[in-house]
Amino acid sequence: MKLQLRPPDTRQSLLLTLAFGVVGAAFYFGVIEPADLNLTAAHAVLEEQIVRQRTVLDDLAQKEIILRGLNEKSVRRAAYDVGLMTPLLESTAMRAKALIDPLATGCGLINLEYEAQEPVALPVFGLAAQEQFVREPIRITCRGSYQAAVSLVRCVEKRFELVSLTALSVTATADPELQQITFVFEWPMKKGAVR
Amino acid sequence: MKAPLHLNLLRPSERVSSSPVRFRVMAPIFALFACVGLVIWWAILVGQLMLTKSMSGRIDQELVQQTNPHQEIIELMAEANELDAQLEQLDCYRKSVRRVGSALGALAEVMPPQVQLVTLSMPPPALPEIAEPSTGYVERTTFSLVGRTPQEQPVLMLMRSLTAEPFTNLLEVCQHPEEGIVSPRVKAFKQDLPKKGEEQRKLVFDIEYLVQERRFTP
């Protein structure tokens, strides 16, 4: 028996087309669109990973440069440690006394008294460091001649690179060799070094 | 009788068009092709998704392997930033350090013998107001000379001497009265009270100079 394929009539054609249309639409909305959304999401994740990897590779490539820069900065920073004020048994006045007394006595000043003043903050220009610094003024009163006072200032400036004279008072007394002298010398110090 | 025989071999439905391709045949075929196309499209999407996920997995693995070395770099960079911030403050302080020893030493040399200096005073500057972050601040103080002299000439000589090196490192000499900046400023110049043993009354002077500002800036 020969199978004869007869072309569909109009009604059959319409039904077939409609059936394929429904299946196609269902397939598009139920399968293709979710797959497309998954693909878009997967692309976004991949892009983010590529960006992250690029950053990581750039950072790793900079390792030598970072290390070299870090070494230079460490050396520069260490050079400051010598000039920083470090309290002696929690007292910056006693540390100043230990540093200045030998010079002052050598210059001929007597009756030296040391008093720590309130630290003054240094400005923070950008991001604050974990370790910050302040200015620690130390007030020194003594007696001696004006020349002795000037000698002490010169000695301190020569010996201590980071010490600055912020205040000075010389008041004459009956004895011109024994003026009443007050200095305020200032050191840089780590913030919180003295509680 | 002879009559023509009319044969109508075409069915009524076939009389609509002379084309051999009927729309009622092609429509389902097109619909079928569209469905097949959708399946192919889906297959491509699945293929791309598998490829993307495979690449993503590979990059993820590499990132995991690079985590420790990268963490080291992050720590080094943080350490470098910390040192930068510390050095910024310390360099700012270093730039502000003032050397006054030579000026003070020279003062004794230029002091006229007729001038008896009673008080030399450079008071501590006022405490600055600092916000964080800051653009820095500037400190100012004064330098006062109070003394006694028999005449005004020695004082004028002294003031003239203080306009030259090395005093310019310490003292500011300027006259801007419209801005309220006058240095030196003669706060007093008058006769002193008579003192026992003195033949003539001396003159008392009080002269104030502005000290060069001390800048705490980056």
Side-chain angles (χ1 to χ4, degrees):
Chain A
M1 196 156 104
K2 252 168 106 176
L3 189 67
Q4 263 190 319
L5 274 175
R6 290 179 58 191
D9 60 20
T10 308
R11 187 166 164 269
Q12 284 172 337
S13 168
L14 204 63
L15 282 172
L16 266 172
T17 308
L18 206 64
F20 282 134
V22 166
V23 166
F27 193 72
Y28 175 78
F29 289 108
V31 177
I32 290 182
E33 211 168 88
D36 193 36
L37 286 172
N38 281 347
L39 184 62
T40 309
H43 273 155
V45 166
L46 181 63
E47 229 172 81
E48 192 209 312
Q49 281 176 322
I50 289 171
V51 166
R52 220 168 0 125
Q53 192 185 42
R54 211 171 284 150
T55 308
V56 168
L57 290 174
D58 284 346
D59 285 348
L60 289 174
Q62 295 286 313
K63 187 176 180 182
E64 281 303 315
I65 298 171
I66 293 169
L67 275 174
R68 209 178 314 129
L70 191 57
N71 282 340
E72 286 169 10
K73 285 169 195 170
S74 295
V75 167
R76 273 189 62 215
R77 171 64 186 85
Y80 276 109
D81 279 335
V82 175
L84 291 178
M85 162 65 75
T86 50
L88 180 59
L89 294 173
E90 302 284 332
S91 169
T92 51
M94 289 301 101
R95 175 63 72 191
K97 181 176 166 64
L99 295 172
I100 301 288
D101 249 4
L103 302 176
T105 317
C107 293
L109 295 167
I110 59 171
N111 298 348
L112 291 130
E113 284 181 17
Y114 297 80
E115 185 190 344
Q117 310 278 288
E118 196 62 36
V120 181
L122 278 167
V124 174
F125 300 110
L127 284 173
Q130 284 178 357
E131 190 174 77
Q132 294 186 34
F133 300 91
V134 295
R135 299 154 53 194
E136 173 72 353
I138 304 289
R139 190 161 169 264
I140 305 170
T141 52
C142 58
R143 290 170 74 84
S145 66
Y146 178 76
Q147 291 297 352
V150 172
S151 292
L152 178 62
V153 171
R154 281 181 151 154
C155 283
V156 167
E157 286 178 351
K158 192 176 170 188
R159 176 83 73 88
F160 307 111
E161 200 186 331
L162 296 180
V163 175
S164 195
L165 181 73
T166 59
L168 175 67
S169 164
V170 180
T171 306
T173 60
D175 186 349
E177 291 299 313
L178 281 180
Q179 323 278 15
Q180 184 65 39
I181 305 170
T182 304
F183 306 95
V184 178
F185 285 111
E186 185 178 88
W187 276 260
M189 182 176 79
K190 284 183 194 171
K191 191 175 178 180
V194 179
R195 281 188 289 277
Chain B
M1 188 168 87
K2 283 186 186 171
L5 184 63
H6 294 277
L7 288 176
N8 199 347
L9 297 175
L10 284 175
R11 283 199 290 273
S13 61
E14 289 167 346
R15 285 185 204 154
V16 174
S17 161
S18 58
S19 166
V21 175
R22 299 285 180 248
F23 183 71
R24 62 180 162 81
V25 173
M26 297 314 297
I29 293 174
F30 287 146
L32 179 65
F33 282 163
C35 288
V36 169
L38 286 174
V39 171
I40 294 171
W41 184 8
W42 172 75
I44 292 170
L45 286 176
V46 166
Q48 283 181 338
L49 185 66
M50 282 171 65
L51 184 64
T52 305
K53 288 202 166 163
S54 155
M55 281 175 67
S56 190
R58 187 174 51 79
I59 292 177
D60 219 21
Q61 263 185 346
E62 284 174 15
L63 282 173
V64 164
Q65 283 172 354
Q66 289 160 352
T67 300
N68 282 344
H70 190 236
Q71 188 55 36
E72 275 176 39
I73 300 285
I74 298 287
E75 283 165 13
L76 287 175
M77 286 165 76
E79 202 180 321
N81 289 340
E82 168 71 17
L83 285 176
D84 274 338
Q86 287 183 24
L87 285 169
E88 209 170 32
Q89 270 199 318
L90 289 169
D91 288 345
C92 160
Y93 177 87
R94 179 196 282 275
K95 281 194 296 188
S96 77
V97 169
R98 189 165 49 205
R99 296 280 176 255
V100 301
S102 50
L104 293 175
L107 183 62
E109 288 165 22
V110 303
M111 190 66 65
Q114 305 93 330
V115 171
Q116 181 195 356
L117 205 56
V118 173
T119 307
L120 181 156
S121 167
M122 187 173 76
L127 286 176
E129 283 180 33
I130 307 168
E132 279 190 26
S134 168
T135 51
Y137 55 84
V138 171
E139 271 187 356
R140 265 241 125 104
T141 186
T142 55
F143 187 87
S144 298
L145 295 168
V146 176
R148 300 167 80 235
T149 178
Q151 300 166 332
E152 72 279 6
Q153 273 308 315
V155 176
L156 291 172
M157 268 174 58
L158 174 62
M159 287 173 71
R160 218 172 294 130
S161 304
L162 295 180
T163 59
E165 291 279 348
F167 302 104
T168 48
N169 285 343
L170 177 62
L171 306 176
E172 201 166 310
V173 176
C174 62
Q175 300 287 327
H176 299 293
E178 66 278 4
E179 291 167 36
I181 303 173
V182 173
S183 176
R185 190 161 67 98
V186 180
K187 291 167 74 175
F189 191 60
K190 59 187 181 186
Q191 264 191 322
D192 195 8
L193 297 168
K195 284 194 171 23
K196 208 187 275 188
E198 278 185 356
E199 286 175 7
Q200 71 177 123
R201 283 169 74 174
K202 294 218 172 147
L203 304 171
V204 168
F205 65 87
D206 183 352
I207 304 169
E208 184 181 84
Y209 285 82
L210 284 175
V211 174
Q212 295 284 2
E213 60 189 20
R214 203 175 158 204
R215 307 188 74 85
F216 293 87
T217 48

